[in-house]
Amino acid sequence: GASSTVPCVARALAQCYGRMVNEIARETQSRHRHLSRPSVVVWNRAGLVNADGAALVGEAACDAFSLGVAGLRHVTFGLGGNGVGEPHFAALKAAGARDVFVAFDNDDPGNKAAEPLSRCLMAEGFAVYRVRVPAILKDINALAVDAGAEAPAVLADLIRAAEWVGGSRPVPVPALPSSPPEMPAPAQIA
């Protein structure tokens, strides 16, 4: 048969995420898998902050991707509740962020991780807001999936309802897209 050459990129792997899909193994092990080294990657560095100086920080990639698809593209994430740190703070400062919206899961681990992160962000000089997903849905991605085609409006409303945690004086929630992007129709399964 024919063979092809795939170019090799000589770079160090900075971080990787995987998710356990085997139901039996999930009963005894964490379903989230990360490399054992700390994350130094800041996703979406070029689009981290909107024109009003606001940035969204999600707990996981799927949450950040759901926000981005809904038109809220000034977003990044950490890998897990403790995955946001100095590289993210430096990137937020370099991008001119003033207001940081912490959109971590509304469960015990997410809430416990959001508190020290909020304190660190305030110590770095940011105004901090907590985005709270209804407890029944737990996270941004679950809310987006539940909302379907209405996800852009539902997520924008959720961000507008964020509660001020502290930092510089509270300001009106920064402008969101006036018209959400068209959501692609779900793929039809034949």
Side-chain angles (χ1 to χ4, degrees):
S3 66
S4 62
T5 303
V6 178
C8 178
V9 177
R11 294 185 182 166
L13 180 62
Q15 188 52 266
C16 187
Y17 173 78
R19 190 170 211 159
M20 183 80 64
V21 294
N22 181 319
E23 293 295 327
I24 296 169
R26 281 174 42 185
E27 293 175 11
T28 59
Q29 301 175 23
S30 170
R31 54 186 226 175
H32 302 286
R33 298 283 188 229
H34 304 277
L35 290 179
S36 59
R37 65 186 88 149
S39 175
V40 295
V41 176
V42 177
W43 181 76
N44 193 25
R45 191 179 295 263
L48 193 55
V49 177
N50 73 4
D52 295 314
L56 295 159
V57 178
E59 186 173 345
C62 60
D63 300 323
F65 299 161
S66 292
L67 288 163
V69 167
L72 301 163
R73 293 190 171 86
H74 51 289
V75 61
T76 193
F77 63 92
L79 293 172
N82 298 316
V84 178
E86 290 301 324
H88 294 86
F89 303 154
L92 288 164
K93 284 181 182 177
R98 282 189 334 258
D99 308 311
V100 179
F101 291 75
V102 177
F104 280 17
D105 294 359
N106 193 8
D107 58 8
D108 194 47
N111 290 325
K112 283 182 180 177
E115 290 176 25
L117 173 60
S118 296
R119 285 193 301 274
C120 289
L121 288 164
M122 288 184 289
E124 295 286 334
F126 301 107
V128 180
Y129 297 81
R130 179 69 165 104
V131 178
R132 294 201 189 268
V133 175
I136 193 166
L137 292 171
K138 187 188 141 194
D139 66 23
I140 295 288
N141 184 60
L143 179 60
V145 169
D146 187 66
E150 297 299 315
V154 169
L155 291 172
D157 287 344
L158 184 72
I159 303 303
R160 284 187 195 98
E163 60 191 64
W164 180 65
V165 176
S168 59
R169 67 174 179 76
V171 296
V173 173
L176 297 169
S178 57
S179 58
E182 291 290 320
M183 293 297 291
Q188 298 296 319
I189 299 174

